[in-house]
Amino acid sequence: MSMNIASVFYTYDPARPDDLARVRPAHREFLRALLNNGELLASGPFLDGGAMLIVRAEDADAALALLDNDPLNVDGIILERKALMWDPVLGPWA
């Protein structure tokens, strides 16, 4: 498996908090499967909205493709996704 790491940022539709709450369990189940197979390293929401996911991927396009089937994405709750390749130099993923 590639050791390349991407940070993926989600921006949620602020007009759909009820949908976000409804789909969140399926979203977390999807992410748990990625965690279990080693593709997801960490994920979590920002306190002021949106979320960040740290994934293993060859490049930014592959990182987004990995998350295409996230139920939040499929349901249209994510307004924007952005992937940036990351080169950790200290810490557990360095």
Coordinates of all heavy atoms in Angstrom, one line a residue:
M1 N 0.8 -1.2 0.0 CA 0.0 0.0 0.0 C 0.9 1.2 0.0 O 1.9 1.3 0.6 CB -0.9 0.0 1.2 CG -1.9 1.1 1.3 SD -3.0 1.1 2.7 CE -3.8 -0.4 2.4
S2 N 0.5 2.2 -0.7 CA 1.2 3.5 -0.8 C 1.3 4.2 0.6 O 0.4 4.1 1.4 CB 0.5 4.4 -1.8 OG 1.1 5.7 -1.7
M3 N 2.4 4.8 0.8 CA 2.6 5.6 2.0 C 2.3 7.1 1.8 O 2.4 7.9 2.7 CB 4.0 5.4 2.5 CG 4.4 4.0 3.0 SD 3.3 3.4 4.3 CE 3.8 4.4 5.6
N4 N 1.8 7.4 0.6 CA 1.4 8.8 0.4 C 0.2 9.1 1.3 O -0.7 8.3 1.4 CB 1.1 9.1 -1.1 CG 2.3 9.0 -1.9 OD1 3.4 9.0 -1.5 ND2 2.1 8.7 -3.2
I5 N 0.1 10.3 1.8 CA -1.0 10.7 2.7 C -1.6 12.0 2.2 O -0.9 12.9 1.8 CB -0.4 10.9 4.1 CG1 0.1 9.6 4.7 CG2 -1.5 11.4 5.1 CD1 0.7 9.7 6.1
A6 N -2.9 12.0 2.2 CA -3.7 13.2 1.8 C -4.6 13.7 3.0 O -5.1 12.9 3.7 CB -4.5 12.9 0.6
S7 N -4.7 15.0 3.1 CA -5.7 15.6 4.0 C -6.9 16.0 3.1 O -6.7 16.7 2.1 CB -5.1 16.8 4.6 OG -4.0 16.5 5.5
V8 N -8.0 15.5 3.4 CA -9.2 15.8 2.7 C -10.1 16.7 3.6 O -10.4 16.3 4.7 CB -10.0 14.5 2.2 CG1 -11.3 14.9 1.5 CG2 -9.1 13.7 1.4
F9 N -10.6 17.8 3.0 CA -11.5 18.7 3.8 C -12.9 18.7 3.2 O -13.0 18.7 2.0 CB -10.9 20.1 3.7 CG -9.5 20.2 4.2 CD1 -8.4 20.0 3.4 CD2 -9.3 20.5 5.6 CE1 -7.1 20.1 3.9 CE2 -8.0 20.5 6.1 CZ -6.9 20.3 5.3
Y10 N -13.8 18.5 4.1 CA -15.2 18.5 3.7 C -15.9 19.8 4.1 O -15.7 20.3 5.3 CB -16.0 17.4 4.4 CG -15.9 16.0 3.8 CD1 -16.6 15.0 4.5 CD2 -15.1 15.7 2.7 CE1 -16.5 13.7 4.0 CE2 -15.1 14.4 2.2 CZ -15.7 13.4 2.9 OH -15.7 12.1 2.4
T11 N -16.7 20.4 3.3 CA -17.5 21.6 3.6 C -19.0 21.1 3.5 O -19.4 20.6 2.4 CB -17.3 22.8 2.7 OG1 -15.9 23.2 2.8 CG2 -18.2 23.9 3.1
Y12 N -19.7 21.1 4.6 CA -21.1 20.6 4.6 C -22.1 21.7 4.2 O -21.8 22.9 4.5 CB -21.5 20.1 6.0 CG -20.7 18.9 6.5 CD1 -20.2 18.9 7.8 CD2 -20.3 17.9 5.6 CE1 -19.5 17.8 8.2 CE2 -19.6 16.8 6.1 CZ -19.1 16.8 7.4 OH -18.4 15.7 7.8
D13 N -23.2 21.4 3.7 CA -24.3 22.3 3.4 C -24.9 22.8 4.7 O -25.5 22.0 5.4 CB -25.3 21.6 2.5 CG -26.4 22.5 2.0 OD1 -26.6 23.6 2.6 OD2 -27.1 22.2 1.1
P14 N -24.7 24.0 5.1 CA -25.2 24.5 6.4 C -26.8 24.5 6.4 O -27.3 24.6 7.5 CB -24.7 25.9 6.5 CG -24.4 26.4 5.1 CD -24.1 25.1 4.3
A15 N -27.4 24.4 5.3 CA -28.9 24.4 5.3 C -29.5 23.0 5.5 O -30.7 22.9 5.6 CB -29.4 24.9 3.9
R16 N -28.6 22.0 5.7 CA -29.1 20.6 5.9 C -28.6 19.9 7.2 O -28.2 18.8 7.1 CB -28.7 19.8 4.6 CG -29.2 20.4 3.3 CD -28.9 19.6 2.1 NE -29.4 18.2 2.3 CZ -29.1 17.3 1.5 NH1 -28.2 17.5 0.5 NH2 -29.6 16.1 1.6
P17 N -28.7 20.6 8.3 CA -28.2 19.9 9.5 C -29.0 18.7 9.9 O -28.4 17.7 10.4 CB -28.4 21.0 10.6 CG -29.5 21.9 10.1 CD -29.3 21.9 8.6
D18 N -30.3 18.6 9.6 CA -31.1 17.4 9.9 C -30.6 16.3 9.0 O -30.6 15.1 9.5 CB -32.6 17.7 9.7 CG -33.1 18.7 10.8 OD1 -32.5 18.9 11.8 OD2 -34.2 19.2 10.5
D19 N -30.3 16.5 7.7 CA -29.9 15.5 6.8 C -28.5 15.0 7.3 O -28.2 13.8 7.2 CB -29.8 16.0 5.4 CG -31.2 16.2 4.8 OD1 -32.1 15.5 5.2 OD2 -31.3 17.1 3.9
L20 N -27.6 15.9 7.7 CA -26.3 15.6 8.2 C -26.4 14.6 9.4 O -25.8 13.5 9.4 CB -25.5 16.8 8.6 CG -24.1 16.6 9.2 CD1 -23.2 15.8 8.3 CD2 -23.5 17.9 9.7
A21 N -27.3 14.9 10.3 CA -27.5 14.1 11.5 C -28.1 12.7 11.1 O -27.7 11.7 11.6 CB -28.4 14.7 12.5
R22 N -29.0 12.7 10.1 CA -29.6 11.4 9.7 C -28.6 10.5 9.0 O -28.6 9.3 9.2 CB -30.8 11.8 8.7 CG -31.4 10.6 8.1 CD -32.6 11.0 7.1 NE -32.2 11.9 6.1 CZ -31.5 11.6 5.0 NH1 -31.1 10.4 4.7 NH2 -31.2 12.6 4.1
V23 N -27.7 11.1 8.2 CA -26.8 10.3 7.4 C -25.5 10.0 8.1 O -24.8 9.1 7.8 CB -26.5 11.0 6.0 CG1 -25.5 10.2 5.2 CG2 -27.8 11.2 5.2
R24 N -25.2 10.7 9.2 CA -24.0 10.5 9.9 C -23.7 9.1 10.3 O -22.5 8.6 10.1 CB -23.9 11.4 11.1 CG -22.6 11.3 11.9 CD -22.5 12.3 13.1 NE -22.5 13.6 12.6 CZ -23.4 14.6 12.9 NH1 -24.4 14.3 13.7 NH2 -23.2 15.8 12.5
P25 N -24.6 8.3 10.8 CA -24.3 6.9 11.2 C -23.8 6.1 10.0 O -22.8 5.3 10.1 CB -25.6 6.3 11.7 CG -26.3 7.5 12.2 CD -26.0 8.6 11.3
A26 N -24.4 6.2 8.8 CA -23.9 5.5 7.6 C -22.5 6.0 7.2 O -21.7 5.3 6.7 CB -24.9 5.7 6.5
H27 N -22.3 7.3 7.3 CA -21.0 8.0 7.0 C -19.9 7.4 7.9 O -18.9 7.0 7.4 CB -21.2 9.5 7.2 CG -19.9 10.2 7.4 ND1 -19.0 10.5 6.5 CD2 -19.4 10.8 8.6 CE1 -18.0 11.2 7.0 NE2 -18.2 11.4 8.2
R28 N -20.2 7.3 9.2 CA -19.2 6.7 10.1 C -19.0 5.2 9.8 O -17.8 4.8 10.0 CB -19.6 7.0 11.5 CG -19.4 8.5 11.8 CD -19.6 8.8 13.3 NE -19.3 10.3 13.5 CZ -19.6 10.9 14.5 NH1 -20.3 10.3 15.5 NH2 -19.3 12.2 14.6
E29 N -20.0 4.5 9.5 CA -19.8 3.1 9.1 C -18.9 3.0 7.9 O -18.0 2.1 7.8 CB -21.2 2.4 8.9 CG -21.1 1.0 8.6 CD -22.5 0.4 8.4 OE1 -23.4 0.8 9.1 OE2 -22.6 -0.5 7.5
F30 N -19.1 3.8 6.9 CA -18.3 3.8 5.7 C -16.8 4.1 6.0 O -15.9 3.4 5.6 CB -18.8 4.9 4.7 CG -18.0 5.2 3.5 CD1 -18.0 4.3 2.4 CD2 -17.1 6.3 3.5 CE1 -17.2 4.6 1.3 CE2 -16.3 6.5 2.4 CZ -16.3 5.7 1.3
L31 N -16.6 5.1 6.9 CA -15.3 5.5 7.3 C -14.6 4.4 8.1 O -13.4 4.1 8.0 CB -15.3 6.8 8.1 CG -15.7 8.1 7.2 CD1 -15.6 9.3 8.1 CD2 -14.8 8.2 6.0
R32 N -15.4 3.7 9.0 CA -14.9 2.6 9.8 C -14.3 1.5 8.9 O -13.3 0.9 9.2 CB -15.9 2.1 10.7 CG -15.4 1.2 11.8 CD -16.4 1.0 13.0 NE -16.4 2.2 13.8 CZ -17.5 3.0 13.8 NH1 -18.6 2.7 13.1 NH2 -17.5 4.1 14.6
A33 N -15.0 1.2 7.8 CA -14.5 0.2 6.9 C -13.2 0.6 6.3 O -12.2 -0.2 6.1 CB -15.5 0.0 5.8
L34 N -13.0 1.9 5.9 CA -11.8 2.4 5.4 C -10.7 2.4 6.4 O -9.5 2.1 6.1 CB -11.9 3.9 4.9 CG -12.8 4.1 3.7 CD1 -12.9 5.6 3.3 CD2 -12.4 3.3 2.5
L35 N -11.0 2.7 7.7 CA -10.0 2.6 8.8 C -9.6 1.1 9.0 O -8.4 0.9 9.1 CB -10.7 3.1 10.1 CG -9.8 3.1 11.3 CD1 -8.7 4.1 11.2 CD2 -10.7 3.4 12.5
N36 N -10.5 0.2 8.9 CA -10.2 -1.2 9.1 C -9.3 -1.8 8.0 O -8.5 -2.7 8.3 CB -11.5 -2.0 9.3 CG -12.2 -1.8 10.6 OD1 -11.6 -1.3 11.5 ND2 -13.5 -2.1 10.6
N37 N -9.4 -1.2 6.8 CA -8.5 -1.7 5.8 C -7.3 -0.9 5.5 O -6.5 -1.1 4.6 CB -9.3 -2.0 4.5 CG -9.7 -0.7 3.8 OD1 -9.2 0.3 4.0 ND2 -10.7 -0.8 2.9
G38 N -7.0 0.1 6.4 CA -5.8 0.8 6.4 C -5.8 2.0 5.5 O -4.7 2.7 5.4
E39 N -6.9 2.4 4.9 CA -6.9 3.5 3.9 C -7.2 4.8 4.7 O -6.7 5.9 4.2 CB -7.9 3.3 2.8 CG -7.6 2.1 1.9 CD -8.7 1.8 1.0 OE1 -9.7 1.3 1.4 OE2 -8.5 2.0 -0.3
L40 N -7.9 4.8 5.7 CA -8.2 6.0 6.6 C -7.3 5.9 7.8 O -7.3 4.9 8.5 CB -9.7 6.0 7.0 CG -10.1 7.1 7.9 CD1 -10.1 8.5 7.2 CD2 -11.5 6.9 8.5
L41 N -6.6 7.0 8.1 CA -5.8 7.1 9.2 C -6.5 7.8 10.4 O -6.3 7.5 11.5 CB -4.5 7.8 8.9 CG -3.6 7.1 7.8 CD1 -2.4 8.0 7.5 CD2 -3.2 5.8 8.3
A42 N -7.3 8.8 10.1 CA -8.0 9.6 11.1 C -9.1 10.4 10.4 O -9.0 10.8 9.2 CB -7.0 10.5 11.9
S43 N -10.1 10.8 11.2 CA -11.1 11.7 10.7 C -11.8 12.3 11.8 O -11.8 11.8 12.9 CB -12.1 10.9 9.8 OG -12.9 10.0 10.5
G44 N -12.5 13.4 11.5 CA -13.3 14.1 12.6 C -13.8 15.4 12.1 O -13.2 16.0 11.2
P45 N -14.8 15.9 12.8 CA -15.4 17.2 12.4 C -14.6 18.4 13.0 O -14.0 18.2 14.0 CB -16.8 17.1 13.0 CG -16.6 16.3 14.2 CD -15.6 15.2 13.8
F46 N -14.7 19.5 12.3 CA -14.2 20.8 12.9 C -15.3 21.3 13.8 O -16.5 21.1 13.5 CB -13.9 21.8 11.8 CG -12.7 21.4 11.0 CD1 -12.8 21.1 9.6 CD2 -11.4 21.4 11.5 CE1 -11.7 20.8 8.8 CE2 -10.3 21.1 10.8 CZ -10.5 20.8 9.4
L47 N -14.9 21.9 14.8 CA -15.9 22.4 15.8 C -16.8 23.5 15.2 O -18.0 23.7 15.7 CB -15.2 22.9 17.1 CG -14.5 21.9 17.8 CD1 -13.8 22.5 19.1 CD2 -15.3 20.7 18.2
D48 N -16.4 24.2 14.2 CA -17.2 25.2 13.5 C -17.8 24.8 12.2 O -18.2 25.6 11.4 CB -16.4 26.5 13.4 CG -15.1 26.4 12.6 OD1 -14.8 25.2 12.2 OD2 -14.5 27.4 12.3
G49 N -17.8 23.5 11.9 CA -18.4 23.0 10.7 C -17.4 22.3 9.8 O -16.2 22.7 9.8
G50 N -17.9 21.4 9.0 CA -17.0 20.7 8.1 C -16.2 19.6 8.8 O -16.4 19.3 10.0
A51 N -15.2 19.0 8.1 CA -14.5 17.9 8.6 C -13.2 17.7 7.9 O -13.0 18.3 6.8 CB -15.3 16.6 8.6
M52 N -12.2 17.0 8.5 CA -11.0 16.7 7.9 C -10.8 15.1 8.0 O -11.1 14.6 9.1 CB -9.8 17.4 8.5 CG -8.5 17.0 7.9 SD -7.1 18.0 8.4 CE -6.9 17.4 10.1
L53 N -10.3 14.5 6.9 CA -10.0 13.1 6.9 C -8.6 13.0 6.4 O -8.2 13.6 5.5 CB -11.0 12.4 5.9 CG -12.5 12.6 6.2 CD1 -13.0 13.8 5.5 CD2 -13.2 11.3 5.8
I54 N -7.8 12.1 7.0 CA -6.5 11.8 6.7 C -6.5 10.4 6.0 O -6.8 9.4 6.7 CB -5.5 11.9 7.8 CG1 -5.6 13.2 8.6 CG2 -4.1 11.6 7.4 CD1 -5.3 14.4 7.8
V55 N -6.1 10.3 4.8 CA -6.2 9.0 4.1 C -4.9 8.7 3.4 O -4.1 9.6 3.1 CB -7.3 9.0 3.0 CG1 -8.7 9.2 3.7 CG2 -7.1 10.0 1.9
R56 N -4.7 7.4 3.1 CA -3.6 7.0 2.3 C -4.0 7.0 0.8 O -5.1 6.3 0.5 CB -3.1 5.6 2.7 CG -2.5 5.5 4.0 CD -1.9 4.1 4.3 NE -1.5 3.9 5.7 CZ -0.4 4.3 6.2 NH1 0.5 4.9 5.4 NH2 -0.1 4.1 7.4
A57 N -3.3 7.6 -0.1 CA -3.7 7.7 -1.5 C -2.5 8.1 -2.3 O -1.6 8.8 -1.8 CB -4.9 8.6 -1.7
E58 N -2.5 7.6 -3.6 CA -1.4 8.0 -4.5 C -1.3 9.5 -4.7 O -0.2 10.0 -4.9 CB -1.5 7.2 -5.8 CG -1.2 5.8 -5.7 CD 0.3 5.5 -5.4 OE1 1.1 6.2 -5.9 OE2 0.5 4.6 -4.5
D59 N -2.5 10.1 -4.9 CA -2.5 11.5 -5.2 C -3.8 12.1 -4.8 O -4.7 11.4 -4.2 CB -2.2 11.8 -6.7 CG -3.2 11.1 -7.6 OD1 -4.3 10.9 -7.3 OD2 -2.7 10.7 -8.7
A60 N -4.0 13.4 -5.0 CA -5.2 14.1 -4.5 C -6.5 13.5 -5.2 O -7.5 13.3 -4.5 CB -5.1 15.6 -4.7
D61 N -6.4 13.2 -6.5 CA -7.5 12.6 -7.2 C -7.9 11.3 -6.6 O -9.1 11.0 -6.5 CB -7.3 12.5 -8.7 CG -7.2 13.9 -9.4 OD1 -7.8 14.9 -8.9 OD2 -6.6 14.0 -10.5
A62 N -6.9 10.5 -6.3 CA -7.2 9.2 -5.7 C -7.8 9.3 -4.3 O -8.7 8.5 -4.0 CB -5.9 8.3 -5.7
A63 N -7.4 10.3 -3.6 CA -8.0 10.5 -2.3 C -9.4 10.8 -2.4 O -10.3 10.3 -1.6 CB -7.2 11.6 -1.5
L64 N -9.8 11.7 -3.3 CA -11.2 12.1 -3.5 C -12.0 10.9 -4.0 O -13.1 10.6 -3.5 CB -11.3 13.3 -4.4 CG -10.8 14.6 -3.9 CD1 -10.9 15.7 -4.9 CD2 -11.5 15.0 -2.6
A65 N -11.4 10.1 -4.9 CA -12.1 8.9 -5.4 C -12.4 7.9 -4.3 O -13.4 7.3 -4.3 CB -11.3 8.3 -6.6
L66 N -11.4 7.8 -3.4 CA -11.6 6.8 -2.3 C -12.9 7.2 -1.5 O -13.5 6.3 -1.0 CB -10.4 6.9 -1.4 CG -10.4 6.1 -0.1 CD1 -10.4 4.6 -0.4 CD2 -9.2 6.4 0.7
L67 N -13.2 8.5 -1.4 CA -14.3 9.0 -0.6 C -15.6 9.3 -1.4 O -16.6 9.8 -0.9 CB -13.9 10.2 0.1 CG -12.7 10.0 1.1 CD1 -12.1 11.3 1.6 CD2 -13.1 9.1 2.2
D68 N -15.6 8.9 -2.7 CA -16.7 9.2 -3.6 C -18.0 8.6 -3.0 O -19.1 9.1 -3.1 CB -16.5 8.7 -5.0 CG -15.7 9.6 -5.9 OD1 -15.5 10.8 -5.4 OD2 -15.3 9.2 -6.9
N69 N -17.9 7.4 -2.5 CA -19.1 6.7 -2.0 C -19.5 6.9 -0.6 O -20.3 6.3 0.0 CB -18.9 5.1 -2.2 CG -18.9 4.8 -3.7 OD1 -19.7 5.4 -4.5 ND2 -18.1 3.8 -4.1
D70 N -18.8 7.9 0.0 CA -19.2 8.4 1.4 C -20.7 8.8 1.3 O -21.1 9.6 0.5 CB -18.4 9.6 1.8 CG -18.6 10.0 3.2 OD1 -19.8 9.8 3.7 OD2 -17.7 10.6 3.8
P71 N -21.5 8.2 2.2 CA -23.0 8.5 2.1 C -23.2 10.0 2.2 O -24.2 10.5 1.6 CB -23.5 7.8 3.4 CG -22.6 6.6 3.5 CD -21.3 7.1 3.2
L72 N -22.4 10.8 2.9 CA -22.6 12.3 2.9 C -22.4 12.9 1.5 O -23.1 13.8 1.2 CB -21.7 12.9 3.9 CG -21.9 12.6 5.4 CD1 -20.9 13.4 6.2 CD2 -23.3 13.0 5.8
N73 N -21.5 12.3 0.8 CA -21.2 12.8 -0.6 C -22.3 12.3 -1.5 O -22.9 13.1 -2.3 CB -19.9 12.3 -1.1 CG -19.4 12.9 -2.4 OD1 -19.5 14.1 -2.5 ND2 -19.1 12.1 -3.3
V74 N -22.7 11.1 -1.4 CA -23.8 10.5 -2.3 C -25.1 11.3 -2.0 O -25.8 11.6 -3.0 CB -24.0 9.0 -2.0 CG1 -25.2 8.5 -2.7 CG2 -22.7 8.2 -2.4
D75 N -25.4 11.7 -0.8 CA -26.6 12.4 -0.5 C -26.5 13.9 -0.8 O -27.5 14.6 -0.6 CB -26.9 12.2 1.0 CG -28.4 12.4 1.4 OD1 -28.8 13.6 1.5 OD2 -29.1 11.4 1.4
G76 N -25.4 14.4 -1.2 CA -25.2 15.8 -1.6 C -25.1 16.7 -0.4 O -25.2 17.9 -0.5
I77 N -24.8 16.2 0.8 CA -24.6 17.0 2.0 C -23.3 17.8 1.9 O -23.1 18.8 2.5 CB -24.8 16.2 3.2 CG1 -26.2 15.7 3.3 CG2 -24.5 17.0 4.5 CD1 -26.5 14.6 4.3
I78 N -22.3 17.2 1.3 CA -21.0 17.8 1.1 C -21.0 18.8 0.0 O -21.3 18.4 -1.2 CB -19.9 16.8 0.9 CG1 -19.8 15.8 2.1 CG2 -18.5 17.5 0.7 CD1 -18.9 14.7 1.9
L79 N -20.8 20.1 0.3 CA -20.8 21.1 -0.8 C -19.5 21.2 -1.5 O -19.5 21.4 -2.7 CB -21.1 22.5 -0.2 CG -22.5 22.8 0.3 CD1 -22.6 24.2 0.9 CD2 -23.5 22.6 -0.8
E80 N -18.4 20.9 -0.8 CA -17.1 21.0 -1.4 C -16.2 20.0 -0.7 O -16.3 19.8 0.5 CB -16.5 22.4 -1.2 CG -15.2 22.6 -1.9 CD -14.6 24.0 -1.7 OE1 -15.2 24.8 -1.0 OE2 -13.5 24.2 -2.2
R81 N -15.3 19.4 -1.5 CA -14.3 18.5 -1.0 C -13.0 19.0 -1.6 O -12.9 19.3 -2.8 CB -14.5 17.0 -1.5 CG -15.8 16.4 -1.0 CD -16.0 15.0 -1.4 NE -15.7 14.7 -2.8 CZ -15.4 13.6 -3.3 NH1 -15.2 12.5 -2.6 NH2 -15.2 13.4 -4.6
K82 N -11.9 19.0 -0.8 CA -10.6 19.4 -1.3 C -9.6 18.4 -0.7 O -9.6 18.2 0.5 CB -10.3 20.8 -0.8 CG -9.0 21.4 -1.3 CD -8.8 22.8 -0.8 CE -7.5 23.3 -1.3 NZ -7.3 24.7 -0.9
A83 N -8.7 18.0 -1.5 CA -7.6 17.1 -1.1 C -6.3 17.7 -1.3 O -6.0 18.3 -2.4 CB -7.7 15.7 -1.8
L84 N -5.5 17.7 -0.3 CA -4.1 18.2 -0.4 C -3.2 17.1 0.1 O -3.4 16.5 1.1 CB -3.9 19.4 0.6 CG -4.8 20.6 0.3 CD1 -4.6 21.7 1.4 CD2 -4.4 21.2 -1.1
M85 N -2.1 16.9 -0.7 CA -1.2 15.9 -0.3 C -0.3 16.4 0.8 O 0.0 17.6 0.9 CB -0.3 15.5 -1.5 CG -1.0 14.8 -2.7 SD -2.1 13.5 -2.1 CE -0.9 12.2 -1.6
W86 N 0.0 15.5 1.8 CA 0.7 16.0 3.0 C 1.9 15.1 3.2 O 1.9 13.9 3.0 CB -0.3 15.8 4.1 CG 0.1 16.2 5.5 CD1 0.7 17.4 5.8 CD2 -0.1 15.5 6.7 NE1 0.9 17.4 7.1 CE2 0.4 16.3 7.7 CE3 -0.7 14.3 7.0 CZ2 0.4 15.9 9.1 CZ3 -0.7 13.9 8.4 CH2 -0.2 14.7 9.4
D87 N 3.0 15.8 3.7 CA 4.2 15.1 3.9 C 4.6 15.2 5.4 O 5.4 16.1 5.8 CB 5.3 15.7 3.0 CG 6.7 15.0 3.2 OD1 6.7 13.8 3.7 OD2 7.7 15.6 2.9
P88 N 4.0 14.4 6.3 CA 4.4 14.5 7.7 C 5.9 14.2 7.9 O 6.3 13.2 7.4 CB 3.5 13.5 8.4 CG 3.1 12.5 7.3 CD 3.1 13.3 6.0
V89 N 6.5 15.0 8.7 CA 7.9 14.8 9.0 C 8.2 14.4 10.4 O 9.2 13.8 10.7 CB 8.8 16.0 8.6 CG1 8.8 16.3 7.1 CG2 8.4 17.2 9.4
L90 N 7.2 14.6 11.3 CA 7.3 14.1 12.7 C 6.0 13.5 13.0 O 4.9 13.9 12.6 CB 7.5 15.3 13.6 CG 8.9 16.0 13.5 CD1 8.9 17.3 14.3 CD2 10.0 15.1 13.9
G91 N 6.0 12.5 13.9 CA 4.8 11.9 14.4 C 4.6 10.5 13.8 O 5.5 9.9 13.1
P92 N 3.5 9.8 14.2 CA 3.3 8.4 13.8 C 3.2 8.1 12.4 O 3.4 6.9 12.0 CB 2.0 8.1 14.6 CG 1.3 9.4 14.7 CD 2.4 10.4 14.9
W93 N 2.9 9.1 11.5 CA 2.8 8.8 10.1 C 4.0 9.3 9.3 O 4.0 9.2 8.1 CB 1.5 9.4 9.5 CG 0.3 8.9 10.3 CD1 0.0 7.7 10.7 CD2 -0.8 9.7 10.7 NE1 -1.2 7.6 11.3 CE2 -1.7 8.9 11.4 CE3 -1.1 11.1 10.6 CZ2 -2.9 9.3 11.9 CZ3 -2.3 11.5 11.2 CH2 -3.1 10.7 11.8
A94 N 5.0 9.7 10.0 CA 6.2 10.2 9.3 C 7.1 9.0 8.8 O 7.0 8.0 9.3 CB 7.1 11.1 10.2

